[in-house]
């Protein structure tokens, strides 16, 4: 059970309220942690991923003896998950990227997702091919901009391992919640595609060996708006980097109860309009846009007695005869000009 902290002053109270769950969450902070042994490939990949995540990224420059998927050692007496939970509470971060390269699993990169200060799920990938941002000579995107995510395979909607990877990447690159965005605000696109799927791959089972899973290609492009002769410009994608070819390795699935709590949506608070109403009135409600709407009930109306404008579209029979009887007027043509004169009844 977590310890309840009582604020001692107004500043600490505001700090605790800022960390409480919100209807619209703040951008998630990611911490990049280097393991005891990291190669140049892992260092470069973490550096480029952190450049895309800025300013919501924290880098730990020192090496740390942390192994998220391994059991706690007898000498230390503490697990790596406890270290992650401590860093999560210390920095108010919910995402981790841990780089570790060993002889058995070279160029490994682990993504860890937290919920309520506890580890929710983890996924480890192996980097097989890497091209950095500096190696590609092209225009770069502006920091703090949200990317457009593209997943180009049906496995991201059918296979459990790829569904978890898609959810992890979307949580990792998701930024501030916004209502709308202009076309020029989409500066870069992150495309995630899969290699040709093996025929023996069973999309309905999560026990498939990692060696049988296809590779995943992650590419980053900047958008270039060109003239198209219409109001909508023609969009071209220019390779920006980084480019990663990864394979799926170890993973841990989230606890069902914790996942249920993490996916639960909070009840929306009453709007200011509802508060102004005080006690809820009959036939009055507030729609999703916050506008007050009322419902009016009237008795049955006899449209036969409704007075309308006297026009030919609302009459029947001989229109000219009815006009002459009702108005007492008739038209005559003299010299090509129509004139009206009063007639005696």
């Amino acid at each position: 059970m977590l310890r309840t902290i009582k604020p001692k002053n107004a500043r600490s109270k505001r700090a605790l309220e800022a960390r409480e769950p919100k209807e619209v969450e703040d951008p998630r902070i990611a911490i990049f942690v280097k393991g005891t042994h990291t190669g140049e490939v892992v260092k470069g990949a973490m550096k480029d991923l952190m450049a895309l995540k800025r300013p919501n990224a924290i880098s730990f420059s020192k090496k740390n003896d942390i192994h998220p998927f391994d059991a706690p050692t007898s000498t230390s007496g503490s697990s790596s998950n406890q270290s992650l939970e401590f860093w999560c509470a210390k920095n108010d971060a919910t995402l981790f990227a841990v780089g570790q390269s060993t002889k058995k699993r070279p160029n490994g990169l682990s993504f860890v997702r937290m919920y309520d200060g506890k580890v929710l799920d983890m996924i480890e990938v192996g980097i097989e091919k890497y091209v950095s941002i500096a190696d590609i000579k092209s225009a770069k995107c502006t920091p703090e901009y949200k990317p457009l995510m593209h997943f180009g395979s049906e496995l991201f909607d059918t296979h459990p391992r790829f569904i978890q990877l898609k959810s992890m990447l979307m949580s990792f690159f998701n930024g501030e919640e916004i209502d709308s965005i202009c076309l020029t605000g989409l500066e870069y696109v992150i495309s995630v595609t899969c290699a040709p799927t093996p025929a023996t791959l069973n999309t309905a089972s999560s026990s498939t060996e990692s060696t049988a899973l296809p590779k995943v290609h992650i590419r980053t492009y900047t958008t270039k708006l060109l003239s198209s002769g219409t109001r909508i410009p023609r969009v071209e994608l220019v390779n920006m980097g980084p480019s990663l070819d990864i394979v799926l390795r170890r993973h841990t699935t989230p606890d069902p109860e914790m996942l249920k709590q993490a996916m639960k949506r909070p009840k929306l608070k009453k709007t200011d309009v509802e508060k102004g109403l005080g006690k809820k009135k009959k036939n009055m409600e507030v729609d999703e846009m916050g506008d007050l709407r009322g419902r009016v009930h009237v008795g049955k109306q006899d449209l036969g007695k409704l007075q309308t404008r006297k026009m030919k579209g609302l009459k029947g029979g001989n229109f000219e005869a009815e006009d002459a009887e009702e108005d007492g007027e008739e038209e005559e043509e003299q010299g090509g000009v129509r004139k009206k004169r009063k007639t005696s009844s």
Side-chain angles (χ1 to χ4, degrees):
M1 184 176 180
L2 298 177
R3 180 170 59 93
T4 304
I5 302 176
K6 293 184 178 180
K8 296 182 179 179
N9 48 41
R11 186 181 66 177
S12 59
K13 183 180 180 180
R14 290 192 299 268
L16 292 176
E17 290 177 352
R19 296 192 176 190
E20 291 179 354
K22 304 179 181 62
E23 296 176 4
V24 180
E25 292 290 342
D26 299 330
R28 301 187 180 187
I29 299 177
I31 298 179
F32 293 81
V33 185
K34 297 178 182 178
T36 54
H37 301 282
T38 55
E40 294 298 328
V41 174
V42 177
K43 288 182 180 179
M46 294 179 64
K47 181 180 178 181
D48 290 345
L49 292 177
M50 187 172 60
L52 297 179
K53 185 63 179 174
R54 283 194 180 104
N56 304 312
I58 300 175
S59 176
F60 285 1
S61 57
K62 295 183 179 180
K63 295 182 178 181
N64 297 271
D65 187 10
I66 182 170
H67 306 274
F69 291 92
D70 296 342
T73 58
S74 59
T75 56
S76 61
S78 62
S79 63
S80 298
N81 289 355
Q82 293 179 353
S83 300
L84 294 174
E85 293 170 1
F86 173 76
W87 292 333
C88 172
K90 191 74 173 178
N91 300 275
D92 193 19
T94 57
L95 296 169
F96 288 90
V98 182
Q100 184 77 19
S101 182
T102 61
K103 184 177 181 180
K104 186 178 181 180
R105 297 182 178 89
N107 300 330
L109 185 62
S110 301
F111 294 97
V112 184
R113 184 163 44 181
M114 313 289 292
Y115 171 72
D116 197 17
K118 303 292 182 182
V119 175
L120 180 63
D121 60 341
M122 298 184 293
I123 184 170
E124 182 186 21
V125 300
I127 304 174
E128 292 195 347
K129 185 179 179 181
Y130 163 69
V131 180
S132 66
I133 296 180
D135 295 338
I136 301 175
K137 306 300 181 181
S138 62
K140 310 304 177 184
C141 64
T142 306
E144 203 175 354
Y145 273 42
K146 291 184 64 174
L148 176 65
M149 301 289 294
H150 167 256
F151 295 90
S153 176
E154 61 180 6
L155 293 178
F156 293 109
D157 298 324
T158 56
H159 198 278
R161 294 293 308 276
F162 291 94
I163 292 176
Q164 184 185 16
L165 177 63
K166 176 182 177 180
S167 177
M168 184 70 72
L169 292 177
M170 291 185 67
S171 299
F172 196 85
F173 290 105
N174 188 24
E176 184 180 357
E177 199 74 22
I178 56 178
D179 298 331
S180 60
I181 186 171
C182 61
L183 188 59
T184 55
L186 294 174
E187 286 199 1
Y188 69 107
V189 179
I190 298 178
S191 177
V192 185
T193 57
C194 290
T197 307
T200 58
L201 182 62
N202 183 13
T203 59
S205 174
S206 60
S207 60
T208 310
E209 294 294 334
S210 299
T211 54
L213 297 176
K215 295 182 181 179
V216 179
H217 307 291
I218 302 177
R219 301 291 184 266
T220 309
Y221 305 95
T222 55
T223 58
K224 189 176 182 181
L225 304 180
L226 303 176
S227 177
S228 63
T230 61
R231 294 183 59 185
I232 302 176
R234 181 167 58 90
V235 182
E236 287 188 359
L237 300 181
V238 181
N239 192 10
M240 181 187 71
S243 298
L244 299 171
D245 291 347
I246 60 176
V247 292
L248 300 182
R249 291 178 180 171
R250 296 177 292 180
H251 78 289
T252 58
T253 57
D255 181 69
E257 291 297 328
M258 186 180 293
L259 181 62
K260 183 179 179 180
Q261 292 293 329
M263 299 295 291
K264 186 177 180 181
R265 293 180 177 269
K267 293 183 179 180
L268 298 178
K269 296 180 180 179
K270 292 184 177 181
T271 60
D272 296 337
V273 180
E274 288 179 324
K275 291 180 181 179
L277 289 177
K279 187 178 180 181
K280 187 175 180 180
K281 297 183 180 180
K282 188 178 180 181
N283 299 328
M284 297 184 70
E285 59 182 6
V286 179
D287 60 6
E288 297 179 355
M289 303 299 295
D291 299 328
L292 181 62
R293 300 176 61 182
R295 189 175 299 176
V296 180
H297 299 274
V298 297
K300 186 177 180 180
Q301 295 180 348
D302 186 5
L303 300 180
K305 299 179 180 179
L306 184 64
Q307 179 66 32
T308 59
R309 182 183 177 186
K310 295 180 180 180
M311 54 183 298
K312 296 180 179 180
L314 300 176
K315 299 176 182 179
N318 191 353
F319 300 142
E320 296 181 357
E322 291 181 1
D323 290 342
E325 292 178 0
E326 293 179 2
D327 300 334
E329 298 179 356
E330 64 178 10
E331 297 178 352
E332 62 179 4
E333 185 173 350
Q334 295 180 357
V337 179
R338 287 185 174 271
K339 295 183 179 180
K340 290 185 180 180
R341 62 183 181 84
K342 284 287 184 178
T343 59
S344 59
S345 55

